[in-house]
Amino acid sequence: MLTGSQNPASDAWLAGRIAQVGERIAAACRSCGRDPSEVRLLAVSKGHPASTIRNAALADLTRFGESYVQEALPKIAALADLALEWHFIGRLQTNKTRAVAEHFQWLHGLDDERLARRLSAQRPSHAPALNVCIQVNVAGETRKGGIAPESVEPLANTVAGLPGLRLRGLMGILPAGLAPTQRRALFAALASLQARLRANGLQLDTLSMGMSEDFAEAIAEGSTLVRIGTALFGERTLVP
Ligand SMILES: *Cc1c(COP(=O)(O)O)cnc(C)c1O
């Protein structure tokens, strides 16, 4: 055991970070009266080698998030002996839909009907439907991923009707540098949009919000899946 090492690939260092993040998630749940079992941890492994992911899997993490198809595919292949769940969380380009449909179990950044139809058609028939979260541009940022809140419902209804996809919920990314109260307000807006879709009959069970810097506020507003990279693995070392 390389106790105290700063090398993210070392199992003891990583096990400590994982325990720490688990504690912080539990504390965030306690302070708003939620059961920690309602919040799943997605370990964002982009920028880190397969060896680090293997160590994280040994420490019982099972869900991993990747943002770049080219970086992810060799890692998924190298770790095929482990029962891991792979989530694509990056910007999806048209020429990458097939790779995502074939190699991932989840997609978090869907914001386009045409891409949804392609993914559904390209999902292998032997595989269960691809789990999908629609990305909402909660802060109204220009040139950022996600669709406007008012456009979510029609896309959600389309996705819910596609055989290769299974709509699970909504996903949002906040701009950096917001105060906690601003974060809370934007996360709350996403949560209420999700609640409205459910009231209109869509069966959604996943609210994908919260990253290393803002997951406590996301949990306070009802997140069921936090996407955490830096707080678990340290600075990213692989350049895309
Ligand atoms: C990189 C990334 C994360 C993780 O960010 P950290 O700040 O390292 O926790 C979460 N979600 C998305 C969509 C990302 O691209």
Side-chain angles (χ1 to χ4, degrees), residues 44 46 67 89-90 171 173 210-213 227-231 234 236:
V44 175
K46 68 171 181 229
S67 299
I89 61 173
M171 177 268 212
I173 306 174
M211 318 194 343
S212 292
E213 290 301 317
R227 308 177 310 271
I228 298 182
T230 312
R236 290 181 260 279

Side-chain angles (χ1 to χ4, degrees), residues 61-111:
L61 296 190
T62 54
R63 299 176 199 93
F64 293 91
E66 292 282 336
S67 299
Y68 306 98
V69 169
Q70 251 129 318
E71 178 191 329
L73 294 187
K75 292 197 251 178
I76 293 173
L79 298 165
D81 58 309
L82 303 174
L84 304 180
E85 189 177 271
W86 293 98
H87 295 233
F88 187 75
I89 61 173
R91 287 298 280 275
L92 184 60
Q93 295 163 304
T94 307
N95 64 351
K96 297 294 192 325
T97 54
R98 182 173 296 280
V100 169
E102 290 181 351
H103 296 284
F104 287 81
Q105 287 81 51
W106 280 75
L107 168 70
H108 287 250
L110 188 68
D111 61 3

Side-chain angles (χ1 to χ4, degrees), residues 19 34 50 66-68 76 113 121 125 134 140-141 149 156 160 193 199-200 220 229:
R34 296 185 62 196
E66 292 282 336
S67 299
Y68 306 98
I76 293 173
E113 179 180 329
S125 53
I134 291 175
E141 296 172 281
L193 185 52
N200 291 349

Side-chain angles (χ1 to χ4, degrees), residues 169-213:
L170 303 180
M171 177 268 212
I173 306 174
L174 298 198
L178 297 181
T181 52
Q182 297 173 302
R183 293 172 176 168
R184 290 276 302 251
L186 292 173
F187 285 139
L190 191 60
S192 72
L193 185 52
Q194 169 116 324
R196 205 172 73 212
L197 297 179
R198 285 169 59 143
N200 291 349
L202 289 169
Q203 290 186 353
L204 308 178
D205 63 5
T206 302
L207 195 48
S208 169
M209 56 187 202
M211 318 194 343
S212 292
E213 290 301 317

